[in-house]
Amino acid sequence: MKMLKELLHIQGVSGDESKMAVFLYNYVNKRKHLWKVTPKIYFGKKFHDCLLLAFGKPNTAVFAHIDTIGFMTRYENQLIPIGGPEIIEGTVLVGEDRLGPIRCKLLNKEDQLYHDFARPIERGTRLSFEQNIIINDTFIEGAYLDNRLGIYNALKLCETLENGWIVFSTYEEHGGGSMPFLLNFIQETAPVENALISDITWITDGVHHGEGVVISIRDKFIPRKIFLDRVIDMAEKSGIPYQLEIEAFGGSDGREIQFSPYAIDWCFIGAPEDQVHSPNEKVALKDLEAMIDMYRYLLANL
């Protein structure tokens, strides 16, 4: 859990993912020689803050977004949400501008958001939820499990992956935007037919803690049934606990795959969480374990 805790403490609000990108790049370079297959690494100015790892001869790509929801400072102590954060009066926000570290509270007055920091904060400063990680025998709780757990899953997959892409994308929480150039590069470099979205979904009336990783049949968008049937059949044969999700709302990097000019099948697979987009997101450790096991099984068999 040490690496996961490191991930959870790195700020990366949409549009400001560089710290997370550098952490991932350094992590991969330190450990790549210990993995079953050493990947080709694509990183740098050409890719903005995205990181791509190509293992062996890929047929499937795994996408994990590295950004989070948060807030941006405006004028007169005003705040504007980035993505869809839960608005809870008194929530502690943290960040930094050129004058130094910032720790303040979120205020909601007449449907306008403010901070209570003692001095003006530079315009355009990103603020995120203060981290408070709680781990016991059953659950992990903290801010930004979405999508730090998706990143964690992707990094664990790197240890044993023989063939496939692992792709860390940006902007997902606030409209997307990096996927088109990532898909173009992948299809020109080592094309794939399948994609799995390593992200975190919701606890609902049909999805529960402790019952396994979630395979999403649909959210706002609908993947191709023939591919979903194949994934679900494999999941059944694996013996790994899983749940099926059907929702009318929500989206992920899968949306941009479906809207792309490439014939790539995709499926969202992730652990479910409670208290979504709040400072206290909650995921069962059993479901996280099932997520990691399921990805390893699917990447070996797709």
Side-chain angles (χ1 to χ4, degrees):
M1 285 289 178
K2 180 182 177 183
M3 180 259 285
L4 177 54
K5 289 180 180 178
E6 288 185 83
L7 291 172
L8 287 167
H9 278 103
I10 299 171
Q11 291 179 288
V13 178
S14 288
D16 189 25
E17 299 97 337
S18 59
K19 289 181 182 178
M20 177 57 75
V22 170
F23 173 86
L24 292 173
Y25 178 72
N26 290 336
Y27 179 92
V28 168
N29 274 298
K30 287 178 182 177
R31 290 162 177 79
K32 63 184 180 182
H33 300 298
L34 302 175
W35 296 341
K36 191 169 185 178
V37 171
T38 301
K40 294 180 181 178
I41 302 172
Y42 302 95
F43 182 71
K45 185 176 180 180
K46 178 179 178 181
F47 303 100
H48 285 193
D49 292 315
C50 300
L51 172 65
L52 302 91
L53 309 176
F55 293 80
K57 297 179 180 179
N59 183 57
T60 300
V62 173
F63 294 89
H65 72 86
I66 68 173
D67 62 312
T68 71
I69 49 92
F71 300 87
M72 182 180 288
T73 57
R74 192 171 180 253
Y75 327 122
E76 305 296 333
N77 292 354
Q78 297 172 18
L79 295 173
I80 300 176
I82 297 175
E86 188 73 17
I87 306 302
I88 304 172
E89 181 84 12
T91 297
V92 177
L93 305 176
V94 294
E96 187 174 357
D97 64 9
R98 286 180 294 181
L99 297 177
I102 298 160
R103 186 177 187 272
C104 57
K105 290 184 178 179
L106 173 64
L107 308 176
N108 188 2
K109 299 178 181 178
E110 299 178 353
D111 294 325
Q112 174 61 57
L113 303 181
Y114 297 88
H115 64 80
D116 69 349
F117 200 55
R119 63 166 173 82
I121 300 176
E122 288 185 319
R123 296 179 183 185
T125 299
R126 271 82 165 177
L127 300 178
S128 55
F129 296 135
E130 184 175 60
Q131 190 60 269
N132 180 30
I133 303 167
I134 301 172
I135 302 176
N136 57 34
D137 292 339
T138 308
F139 293 101
I140 178 170
E141 186 173 334
Y144 303 125
L145 301 185
D146 173 12
N147 187 37
R148 297 304 189 239
L149 296 186
I151 297 171
Y152 180 72
N153 172 60
L155 291 175
K156 295 295 288 182
L157 186 58
C158 288
E159 296 171 1
T160 56
L161 184 60
E162 294 186 49
N163 300 293
W165 283 96
I166 301 293
V167 184
F168 299 99
S169 65
T170 57
Y171 305 134
E172 191 271 352
E173 294 288 8
H174 200 82
S178 66
M179 287 293 286
F181 74 78
L182 294 175
L183 290 168
N184 184 67
F185 179 79
I186 288 168
Q187 295 304 83
E188 288 183 349
T189 306
V192 298
E193 298 177 357
N194 314 311
L196 302 178
I197 310 302
S198 179
D199 204 342
I200 302 302
T201 189
W202 313 324
I203 295 292
T204 64
D205 54 345
V207 173
H208 310 287
H209 284 306
E211 296 186 10
V213 64
V214 172
I215 300 172
S216 183
I217 292 176
R218 64 156 292 169
D219 43 37
K220 185 177 180 180
F221 305 96
I222 303 177
R224 201 165 67 112
K225 185 177 185 297
I226 193 169
F227 181 65
L228 287 173
D229 289 347
R230 184 180 171 206
V231 169
I232 293 169
D233 182 61
M234 287 184 178
E236 188 66 26
K237 291 176 180 177
S238 74
I240 300 164
Y242 72 93
Q243 309 175 65
L244 297 178
E245 172 187 82
I246 301 177
E247 297 296 335
F249 305 101
S252 68
D253 279 338
R255 170 192 179 276
E256 296 196 59
I257 297 172
Q258 187 160 315
F259 286 11
S260 78
Y262 305 107
I264 301 174
D265 278 313
W266 66 276
C267 180
F268 181 114
I269 302 176
E273 74 172 15
D274 204 2
Q275 299 158 191
V276 177
H277 283 189
S278 80
N280 307 109
E281 297 176 342
K282 186 176 182 180
V283 171
L285 295 175
K286 180 179 178 182
D287 296 334
L288 175 59
E289 181 182 356
M291 180 178 179
I292 295 168
D293 290 344
M294 186 65 76
Y295 269 83
R296 284 176 173 163
Y297 183 86
L298 291 175
L299 265 292
N301 291 282
L302 273 174

